[in-house]
Amino acid sequence: MNRRRAGEGEILELRLIGSRRLPFALTTEAATTWLKASGVDATAVYYDAYLVISPRDKPAVDKLVERLLGPFMYAESVRERLQDALEQHRLRALVSLPNSGSMVLVLRDSENLGRAVRLGAVLGAGDIGEGLKLHRPGGMRKLAARMRLLLTGALGPGVGVLAEPGCAHEQDDLSVRMTVEQGLRLAGRIAAEPVRAEQDEDPLPVEETGIIPPLWISSGP
């Protein structure tokens, strides 16, 4: 946020860098449409190669922050809750936010997707890997199908599950894509389950948190 003089007055500017986590494309047309739909009294123009949003007054500033950052703040709180629930059961996982409405959980290891099988056990499906050759791509795909059915029953429709075999430099992984609200339900379900004595993995290292960079807001050129 920056103040810039324009003639005899001042203009309050919000300069946006990158569109990865914005609810609109970095064009004046898309930004103007979003501002109008969100009830934010502001203009959008390009200035010094940046898309600049200029709220007309303080209420407009407050509403802009609420509408633009509020969904991400909520999604981040859910991400942290899910991460904590997984760590409670010693399940190392990466939880990330592609956008404010969706969440991706990745279980990665080199032990035949053992962490994914353990997540199934936490959710009440201790036999989810039974009869599957999890060292082979076909067995991994079948585990993903079973996990999708399990999570659909627990969280509702729309959950996507993908298992990918690793290689010499990459571990096997199973990823779950869901909405933020489904992530909240999953966190509650996992947190409510008792921790078993055999769950003795170390806590998730700091470097594996899976947090994606925040929306950058510049206050200057």
Side-chain angles (χ1 to χ4, degrees), residues 179-195:
T179 67
V180 169
E181 293 305 320
Q182 288 173 326
L184 181 61
R185 292 197 289 274
L186 180 60
R189 174 72 182 272
I190 294 173
E193 296 296 329
V195 179

Side-chain angles (χ1 to χ4, degrees), residues 107-109 112-113 134 140 164-166 170-174:
L107 294 156
R108 180 176 296 135
D109 60 40
N112 298 332
L113 292 178
L134 295 176
M140 294 180 186
E164 296 185 289
E170 294 289 339
Q171 296 177 313
D172 303 331
D173 68 50
L174 182 139

Side-chain angles (χ1 to χ4, degrees), residues 12-88:
L12 188 63
E13 298 178 341
L14 176 64
R15 299 189 180 194
L16 303 178
I17 303 175
S19 60
R20 182 180 180 184
R21 303 189 72 183
L22 290 174
F24 50 83
L26 281 179
T27 66
T28 55
E29 293 81 4
T32 298
T33 299
W34 181 85
L35 289 167
K36 184 177 181 180
S38 300
V40 179
D41 188 10
T43 60
V45 297
Y46 262 92
Y47 180 77
D48 286 346
Y50 295 103
L51 179 63
V52 178
I53 294 179
S54 300
R56 300 186 189 280
D57 51 30
K58 186 179 184 304
V61 173
D62 294 340
K63 181 167 286 190
L64 177 61
V65 171
E66 174 190 348
R67 296 295 174 87
L68 192 59
L69 300 183
F72 289 106
M73 294 171 64
Y74 173 71
E76 177 60 23
S77 70
V78 174
R79 190 204 68 79
E80 291 178 356
R81 183 169 176 177
L82 178 56
Q83 193 82 67
D84 290 344
L86 291 163
E87 290 181 17
Q88 177 183 326

